[in-house]
Amino acid sequence: MLFSAAATVTILVPVGVALGLSAPTLIAFYRRPNAVFFLPTYGTLLAAVSFDSTGTTKIGKYLVNHSFMRPGVVAVVASILIGLALNAVYASGG
């Protein structure tokens, strides 16, 4: 897993092209490589935890149960679904 979405896209887009995925489909999945929220090691995530004086932003007992997990998953899933819906509209010509 890479911490750079741009590096991940650079690696995976040629794989998608080799698999025969269309350009609109690849664009729909463009948001998917953004998984910097999954492991809380990115500087801005750690800073948010450190600066939160209310204590609501935290990293849990396990590495993958932190405050950014649910919003990150919702954002990625929603953006993929919206991208696929737009792809369907584009493919239908309307």
Side-chain angles (χ1 to χ4, degrees), residues 42-62:
Y42 209 62
T44 53
L45 299 180
L46 297 174
V49 172
S50 298
F51 295 143
D52 182 18
S53 60
T54 65
T56 57
T57 306
K58 59 185 177 244
I59 297 175
K61 179 180 176 186
Y62 304 103

Side-chain angles (χ1 to χ4, degrees), residues 6 15 31-32 41 45 51 57 64 73 82-83 94:
V15 173
R31 174 80 168 100
R32 179 60 193 108
T41 57
L45 299 180
F51 295 143
T57 306
V64 293
V73 169
I82 291 168

Side-chain angles (χ1 to χ4, degrees), residues 6-86:
T8 305
V9 167
T10 301
I11 292 168
L12 291 180
V13 166
V15 173
V17 170
L19 290 173
L21 297 175
S22 67
T25 302
L26 290 172
I27 292 168
F29 283 98
Y30 181 76
R31 174 80 168 100
R32 179 60 193 108
N34 187 8
V36 295
F37 66 88
F38 193 74
L39 293 176
T41 57
Y42 209 62
T44 53
L45 299 180
L46 297 174
V49 172
S50 298
F51 295 143
D52 182 18
S53 60
T54 65
T56 57
T57 306
K58 59 185 177 244
I59 297 175
K61 179 180 176 186
Y62 304 103
L63 188 61
V64 293
N65 65 335
H66 51 82
S67 298
F68 304 102
M69 183 62 69
R70 187 174 296 144
V73 169
V74 168
V76 167
V77 170
S79 66
I80 289 173
L81 292 176
I82 291 168
L84 290 173
L86 292 173

